[in-house]
Amino acid sequence: QQAFAMWIWLPVVVAGAVSCSGNGYLYVEDEALGLEPACECLSCYTGANCSVLDDTCVVGVGVVELSALLPWFANREDVAVNIGPTYHMDYMHSNSLLSEEAASQRVMRTLNETIRGLHADVGNAETDGYQLVIGAGAMQLLSSVTHVLAKRKGMKLFSAVPYWDVFEQIGNSPDNLTFTTDATLDPSNIIEVVTSPNNPNGHTTSAQYPPSTVAGTVHDFVYNWPHMTAMTRKHAEDVMVFSLSKLTGYSASRVGWALIKDRDLAEDVSGHIFLNGQGAGVEAQYRAVEVLRSIRRSLKTDDDFFASANETFSKRWQQLKAALDPSRFTLQDTVEGPPFAWVRCHGTANCAKDFQAAKIGVGAGSDYGGSDAEHVRLTLYQDQSTFDLMVQRIRAMRSEALV
């Protein structure tokens, strides 16, 4: 049967067609939909070839993306997805709970084996004795786990400050749950989420409430990979959440997974996912297999994924540090590695507004439980053009302060 290839993250030059000037993407796959070739421009760039910079535009660096990994994947032909017209038209059986016996379809078994194999390769998480639950990204999994654990009225979702801003939304969504940063409450009513490395400051963190005393502890390990932090031990927590997007940059595919020790909890989480969108589709699971297999094949070669990414990320951090005005902004509260910097601000009442005035859109400190006068979060691993524009404008802030 005829198959078609879906190549995303391709370089933006197509022979005889449209060039996007390095400031946009041309997705040749769209031609199969009857669409004319056209560039999709990056932040602040316009024009048919994305060659025009809008100097009045605010460059957005508030969303965590890993498009800096694009060049590595663009050269990996083994990541191309080839899917025929009749591939899995019917419903999948238990397409979120990937236990060995439940994964009756081969693509699900292969995804199960590939994820477990990658964790074994890098040594960041134990998988033996765990159920593997697949969701449409880590956010769906975190939401489902907390919803299932919130079994009675008056329960609290706790996270220490600073925290990922979405936790507040997750904690205030279920009827039985509200969000808190108070570490002195009755632990029996607490569900704690621990992010390590932490978003937004990159610190290695641990639970504030003893896990044996609370209703549940959920470990958000989406940034716990060798290109973002040191692999110091193999984690074996009760619930551990990971995502394809924060590992590889394939955010639009919407694939995440949770390693859950308790089988009953895993089944309940899978059931909740079934009622709320049914998790990742088969095409996304297929792409995840190809992407993760490609990473595994590269390990300990001259094109090692994690080594290449670490080199790219290190250069970004060096450029950011060189651009910041040390009299106004420091990185004393952040740990290098993850895709964001928790910038400490000095001598201002509202640091985010200072960046906004310089046409840089960052995350305000209060969004993460901090202070608008003391912190902002900015991201570093986006597209090269966006990163370069951010650095250029940060340098301009430094120059203006000297005038």
Side-chain angles (χ1 to χ4, degrees):
Q1 64 185 206
Q2 185 177 4
F4 62 90
M6 300 192 301
W7 288 69
I8 63 176
W9 298 125
L10 278 177
V12 295
V13 177
V14 177
V18 180
S19 166
C20 300
S21 308
N23 303 319
Y25 296 114
L26 179 68
Y27 297 107
V28 297
E29 299 83 3
D30 291 348
E31 293 185 46
L33 302 176
L35 303 175
E36 291 294 324
C39 294
E40 295 186 9
C41 298
L42 300 176
S43 179
C44 294
Y45 288 92
T46 62
N49 297 316
C50 305
S51 59
V52 180
L53 172 62
D54 179 1
D55 286 326
T56 67
C57 167
V58 175
V59 61
V61 292
V63 177
V64 173
E65 293 182 314
L66 271 67
S67 304
L69 298 176
L70 184 153
W72 191 89
F73 284 108
N75 295 319
R76 304 288 296 192
E77 293 186 4
D78 57 352
V79 177
V81 175
N82 296 288
I83 296 178
T86 61
Y87 186 74
H88 282 288
M89 290 182 66
D90 296 333
Y91 286 111
M92 304 270 291
H93 298 297
S94 184
N95 68 326
S96 59
L97 181 61
L98 300 192
S99 61
E100 295 291 346
E101 63 272 24
S104 56
Q105 280 89 7
R106 289 187 297 176
V107 64
M108 295 165 61
R109 287 202 305 273
T110 304
L111 179 58
N112 188 2
E113 294 162 2
T114 304
I115 289 174
R116 293 175 188 270
L118 181 59
H119 282 299
D121 291 340
V122 303
N124 64 342
E126 182 61 69
T127 62
D128 290 344
Y130 283 81
Q131 304 298 314
L132 184 60
V133 180
I134 297 293
M139 189 185 303
Q140 185 184 51
L141 288 158
L142 290 163
S143 298
S144 293
V145 170
T146 54
H147 188 281
V148 169
L149 290 172
K151 297 182 180 299
R152 60 183 182 276
K153 296 285 186 181
M155 299 191 71
K156 306 285 187 181
L157 179 65
F158 169 83
S159 183
V161 175
Y163 52 80
W164 182 37
D165 55 330
V166 176
F167 287 147
E168 191 167 347
Q169 300 174 46
I170 293 174
N172 291 325
S173 295
D175 292 339
N176 294 342
L177 201 61
T178 54
F179 182 77
T180 185
T181 58
D182 187 345
T184 65
L185 302 177
D186 177 0
S188 66
N189 291 323
I190 293 294
I191 301 166
E192 181 171 2
V193 59
V194 180
T195 303
S196 188
N198 190 41
N199 179 1
N201 61 8
H203 287 211
T204 299
T205 59
S206 57
Q208 301 295 299
Y209 285 89
S212 61
T213 66
V214 297
T217 305
V218 181
H219 282 78
D220 175 2
F221 283 149
V222 296
Y223 303 109
N224 202 309
W225 294 100
H227 53 344
M228 297 188 190
T229 189
M231 297 290 96
T232 58
R233 66 187 181 94
K234 183 178 285 189
H235 291 277
E237 315 298 345
D238 288 345
V239 179
M240 301 180 286
V241 176
F242 300 86
S243 79
L244 187 70
S245 66
K246 300 307 184 289
L247 165 62
T248 68
Y250 282 89
S251 303
S253 294
R254 306 310 307 140
V255 175
W257 61 92
L259 292 165
I260 301 178
K261 190 175 293 186
D262 183 83
R263 186 185 182 92
D264 290 338
L265 176 60
E267 290 178 347
D268 288 344
V269 171
S270 178
H272 186 267
I273 289 173
F274 176 79
L275 295 174
N276 290 273
Q278 300 188 33
V282 66
E283 293 85 0
Q285 292 191 32
Y286 197 106
R287 172 167 288 285
V289 169
E290 295 286 55
V291 170
L292 298 179
R293 275 181 164 179
S294 183
I295 290 173
R296 294 191 69 193
R297 292 187 192 105
S298 79
L299 299 182
K300 298 181 180 179
T301 72
D302 292 339
D303 195 28
D304 186 292
F305 169 76
F306 292 113
S308 175
N310 187 263
E311 181 179 356
T312 298
F313 296 167
S314 295
K315 290 178 181 177
R316 294 275 178 106
W317 278 95
Q318 293 304 313
Q319 289 177 270
L320 174 64
K321 286 190 288 187
L324 289 168
D325 179 353
S327 68
R328 300 176 64 190
F329 311 113
T330 60
L331 298 175
Q332 66 192 62
D333 297 333
T334 198
V335 175
E336 295 181 30
F340 33 73
W342 187 232
V343 179
R344 181 68 179 263
C345 309
H346 306 273
T348 182
N350 192 313
C351 195
K353 285 187 176 180
D354 294 345
F355 276 87
Q356 185 77 16
K359 294 174 288 190
I360 306 171
V362 298
S366 58
D367 292 342
Y368 309 93
S371 164
D372 288 342
E374 294 181 355
H375 289 100
V376 295
R377 191 196 77 167
L378 55 81
T379 60
L380 291 85
Y381 301 162
Q382 59 277 84
D383 303 275
Q384 189 67 51
S385 292
T386 303
F387 177 77
D388 289 343
L389 184 56
M390 176 190 73
V391 169
Q392 176 186 328
R393 291 181 174 177
I394 289 175
R395 286 198 184 110
M397 295 174 74
R398 184 173 189 164
S399 298
E400 289 167 4
L402 296 175
V403 176

